[in-house]
Amino acid sequence: MSDPVLVEVLRGTLVESRHRGAVAVVDAGGRTVLGLGDVTLPVFPRSAVKALQALALIETGAADKFGFGDEELALACSSHSGEPGHVVRVQGMLAKAGLDASALACGTHWPASEAAATALARIGEPSALHNNCSGKHAGFLCDACALGADHIGYWKPEHPVQRQVRDTLADVTGATLGDDCRAIDGCSVPTWAIPLQQLAHGFAKFATGHKLSAERARAAVRLRSACAQKPWYVGGTGRFCTDIIQLFGARVFVKTGAEGVYCGAFPEQGFGFAIKCDDGAGRAAQVVVAALVARFLPRSDIERTALARFLRPTLRNWNGFEVGALRPTDAVAAVA
Amino acid sequence: MSDPVLVEVLRGTLVESRHRGAVAVVDAGGRTVLGLGDVTLPVFPRSAVKALQALALIETGAADKFGFGDEELALACSSHSGEPGHVVRVQGMLAKAGLDASALACGTHWPASEAAATALARIGEPSALHNNCSGKHAGFLCDACALGADHIGYWKPEHPVQRQVRDTLADVTGATLGDDCRAIDGCSVPTWAIPLQQLAHGFAKFATGHKLSAERARAAVRLRSACAQKPWYVGGTGRFCTDIIQLFGARVFVKTGAEGVYCGAFPEQGFGFAIKCDDGAGRAAQVVVAALVARFLPRSDIERTALARFLRPTLRNWNGFEVGALRPTDAVAAVA
């Protein structure tokens, strides 16, 4: 059966496009709080699990060894916009491990930020540092150093770093991660397909420490705290993850992944969530995140007002005219 | 009921994302040759009807008055990439009407071509000439001049130019275009929601002249011929519409619109087609166009090979590794 329509795109008064998808909200004990669509189908979480991939950075001792603070830890969890502040800080992470941009295997693309890309075009060309995954990759390189492994090939599935990341993902989500559900991510590291239900459960554990080793639970606290303290490093200027974490602080964790995925948690409620827009549309998955916030997080009047622009984003054309909007359907909408 | 899945996105061996949509292929007599999904739902065709919007450019006498050749006519039908050749030629269209870029009301954005945008960033800022719709807007301005109307406000629904465009769309598609199905396009001109079935029928008439006035049929021939002769002006370097028209010449007409729409025709078969990807994804709508070409157009071995990369496009990551592919589902796939 098909997943339900979660978000509609309006042009004028008519629905122009429709986004279907699935949503799982699960508590730390594994109980499904909300399930929409097929939450048992394996989904590639892509960058939405960077925070779980970054647990190793603390557990290997690399973060302490290299003296990483909140900004570096947030960058390890990030899909950043390639703004100068991100690039300089990733460069600093590499330097602390005695490395430079040439060690990064994530590939090169122009900064996701149009302003940063335009400014960069005026003075040069992008490097691997501008890749939105460079913070995560810098973390992997530091893991390799802390593990005493050769950092060359740190991105390959058989490398000790990726084996540790896989074991961590399997432990936290409870999923079996065999080669049959492995593919290659945009930045060349492995990505494993995991059902939304298990991803959501994993983020509930990440947010509460429930059923995690004491060491892993402490690492999770430290990463969540770093992202809450330095949300700009999780995304960048005007980015959805950054804006939502800025708005709600440690009460929410949220991270985007390519192809319409979001994972996150409401730590105070002890809930984790995972969203997959069937068609891969990030614009719709964001509206679903906002709808979950509206549904599960108590908000002040100020927070309610601030959330409104994410819950029903206005679409404007090149002249700034309001031409439409996105809106969640009743399936996901907050109960007023 | 939900529309069928038309295109799947593979990552490795697993399906990562799915695109649903509707497709109508209709002959000039109005007979449905292929109907998938709901082809009766009104859809905003957006830029996919630029060739119909451009009929007025010939019918008002503007094209002859200003001495427009194939390049200008193709630009009037285009969503161009803002490459230098497009920009210079649009500027020339305006100059022939005694106007310049300041008359364009389409708004400004960076060139859709990354190479053109990067090169432009090094020397300046974009203008309305770089807007992908500037060729269409230059055509509208010339229409206004030929009609003897004030060109100010040429983009408003009540302006004589837009009234003529609406009447032409209604005549060609047979749709009733009331205010209830009108919205504002990305470039600020009106866009009217029309069922796919009627859009496809309209393009069958555009491709054959059937049931059009002799004057309108001649205008259609001239526009189709211009696009077939100068496909680079319909899109740009590496753009789907350009590549497909380059490959099949006058045997196919195809034009993209925002939010996952494509309209086009197979003139030799006398078929028009219209596609709407429910979620607005252009990447999927392109695969559907390729599947229709494979299904309805006789091809040489060379053409068959050339079409393969559009029918099942390979996805590569930032390192150039093959990470997946798009593929049409059996619902639309060509019969081998």
Side-chain angles (χ1 to χ4, degrees):
Chain A
M1 289 311 301
S2 57
D3 286 334
V5 175
L6 301 177
V7 173
E8 292 173 332
V9 182
L10 295 165
R11 182 156 292 260
T13 57
L14 300 180
V15 175
E16 179 166 33
S17 299
R18 291 159 183 80
H19 295 282
R20 293 174 182 273
V23 182
V25 182
V26 176
D27 73 13
R31 185 181 64 89
T32 296
V33 178
L34 176 70
L36 295 170
D38 186 351
V39 297
T40 65
L41 190 73
V43 161
F44 290 112
R46 312 288 300 272
S47 291
V49 291
K50 276 179 177 166
L52 307 185
Q53 292 171 306
L55 286 165
L57 185 60
I58 295 170
E59 295 177 21
T60 57
D64 287 334
K65 177 175 170 148
F66 299 120
F68 289 166
D70 288 342
E71 295 176 0
E72 287 90 349
L73 294 179
L75 272 170
C77 302
S78 81
S79 296
H80 65 72
S81 294
E83 296 173 81
H86 301 124
V87 170
V88 166
R89 188 62 76 186
V90 172
Q91 212 161 15
M93 292 172 74
L94 293 168
K96 284 177 179 174
L99 298 169
D100 63 22
S102 67
L104 291 170
C106 48
T108 295
H109 63 71
W110 284 92
S113 153
E114 189 181 279
T118 305
L120 178 61
R122 294 197 167 119
I123 56 166
E125 296 280 341
S127 74
L129 293 168
H130 298 91
N131 185 307
N132 74 89
C133 299
S134 69
K136 178 179 73 174
H137 278 248
F140 287 154
L141 283 162
C142 293
D143 290 350
C145 296
L147 289 170
D150 186 356
H151 70 266
I152 304 291
Y154 71 90
W155 54 275
K156 294 183 178 172
E158 63 275 15
H159 190 280
V161 167
Q162 298 306 330
R163 288 216 308 269
Q164 174 156 1
V165 166
R166 184 200 58 202
D167 293 347
T168 305
L169 282 170
D171 170 56
V172 177
T173 65
T176 304
L177 303 181
D179 287 352
D180 56 326
C181 62
R182 192 186 77 214
I184 304 169
D185 212 331
C187 63
S188 296
V189 301
T191 180
W192 280 274
I194 301 171
L196 289 182
Q197 211 165 37
Q198 291 179 288
L199 285 168
H201 187 203
F203 275 88
K205 290 162 71 182
F206 176 75
T208 61
H210 186 74
K211 295 269 186 187
L212 298 182
S213 70
E215 184 197 8
R216 184 152 290 167
R218 278 195 302 274
V221 167
R222 208 164 143 191
L223 289 176
R224 287 196 291 109
S225 168
C227 294
Q229 291 296 321
K230 300 290 179 185
W232 185 81
Y233 287 90
V234 178
T237 307
R239 288 281 300 278
F240 181 79
C241 294
T242 294
D243 288 349
I244 292 290
I245 301 178
Q246 233 153 22
L247 194 50
F248 294 100
R251 287 180 290 152
V252 69
F253 177 81
V254 59
K255 181 63 188 66
T256 186
E259 290 292 324
V261 176
Y262 271 87
C263 288
F266 303 118
E268 290 178 359
Q269 287 70 28
F271 297 164
F273 63 81
I275 299 160
K276 166 73 183 179
C277 190
D278 292 353
D279 54 63
R283 66 177 181 181
Q286 288 177 7
V287 171
V288 177
V289 171
L292 294 184
V293 170
R295 191 158 169 166
F296 292 107
L297 216 57
R299 286 144 295 141
S300 67
D301 284 349
I302 290 171
E303 289 166 346
R304 192 180 304 271
T305 305
L307 187 67
R309 74 180 174 99
F310 301 108
L311 201 52
R312 195 186 157 101
T314 300
L315 297 175
R316 295 187 181 279
N317 73 4
W318 299 115
N319 284 319
F321 300 163
E322 184 172 335
V323 292
L326 277 74
R327 69 176 178 203
T329 60
D330 289 346
V332 283
V335 180
Chain B
M1 290 311 301
S2 57
D3 286 334
V5 175
L6 301 178
V7 174
E8 291 173 331
V9 182
L10 294 165
R11 180 156 295 258
T13 56
L14 300 180
V15 175
E16 179 166 33
S17 298
R18 291 160 183 79
H19 296 282
R20 293 173 182 273
V23 183
V25 182
V26 176
D27 72 14
R31 184 181 65 90
T32 296
V33 178
L34 175 71
L36 295 169
D38 186 351
V39 297
T40 65
L41 190 75
V43 160
F44 290 113
R46 312 288 298 273
S47 290
V49 291
K50 276 178 175 165
L52 307 185
Q53 291 171 307
L55 286 165
L57 186 60
I58 295 170
E59 295 176 20
T60 58
D64 287 334
K65 177 176 170 148
F66 298 119
F68 288 164
D70 287 341
E71 295 176 2
E72 287 91 348
L73 294 180
L75 271 171
C77 301
S78 81
S79 296
H80 66 73
S81 294
E83 295 173 83
H86 302 124
V87 169
V88 166
R89 187 63 74 187
V90 172
Q91 211 161 16
M93 291 172 74
L94 293 168
K96 285 177 178 172
L99 299 169
D100 62 23
S102 66
L104 292 170
C106 49
T108 295
H109 63 72
W110 285 93
S113 154
E114 188 181 278
T118 305
L120 178 60
R122 294 198 167 118
I123 55 166
E125 297 281 339
S127 74
L129 292 167
H130 298 92
N131 186 305
N132 74 88
C133 299
S134 69
K136 176 178 74 174
H137 278 248
F140 287 154
L141 283 162
C142 293
D143 290 349
C145 296
L147 289 169
D150 186 354
H151 71 267
I152 304 291
Y154 71 90
W155 53 276
K156 294 183 179 173
E158 63 275 15
H159 190 279
V161 167
Q162 298 306 329
R163 289 217 308 268
Q164 174 156 4
V165 166
R166 185 200 57 203
D167 292 348
T168 305
L169 281 170
D171 170 58
V172 177
T173 65
T176 305
L177 303 181
D179 287 352
D180 55 327
C181 63
R182 193 186 77 215
I184 305 170
D185 212 329
C187 63
S188 296
V189 301
T191 179
W192 281 273
I194 301 171
L196 288 182
Q197 211 166 39
Q198 290 179 288
L199 285 168
H201 187 203
F203 275 88
K205 289 161 70 181
F206 176 76
T208 60
H210 187 73
K211 294 272 186 186
L212 297 182
S213 70
E215 183 196 10
R216 183 152 290 168
R218 278 195 302 274
V221 167
R222 208 164 142 191
L223 288 176
R224 286 196 291 110
S225 167
C227 293
Q229 290 297 319
K230 299 289 178 183
W232 185 81
Y233 287 91
V234 178
T237 309
R239 287 282 300 280
F240 181 80
C241 293
T242 295
D243 288 349
I244 293 291
I245 301 177
Q246 234 152 21
L247 194 51
F248 294 99
R251 287 179 291 152
V252 68
F253 177 81
V254 60
K255 181 64 189 64
T256 186
E259 290 291 324
V261 176
Y262 271 86
C263 288
F266 303 117
E268 289 177 0
Q269 286 70 28
F271 297 164
F273 64 81
I275 298 159
K276 166 72 184 178
C277 190
D278 291 354
D279 53 64
R283 66 178 180 180
Q286 287 177 9
V287 171
V288 177
V289 171
L292 294 184
V293 170
R295 191 159 169 164
F296 292 107
L297 217 57
R299 286 146 292 142
S300 68
D301 284 349
I302 290 171
E303 289 165 347
R304 190 180 305 270
T305 304
L307 188 66
R309 74 180 175 98
F310 301 107
L311 201 52
R312 195 186 158 101
T314 300
L315 296 176
R316 295 186 182 278
N317 74 3
W318 299 115
N319 284 320
F321 299 163
E322 184 170 336
V323 292
L326 276 74
R327 69 176 179 203
T329 60
D330 289 346
V332 283
V335 179

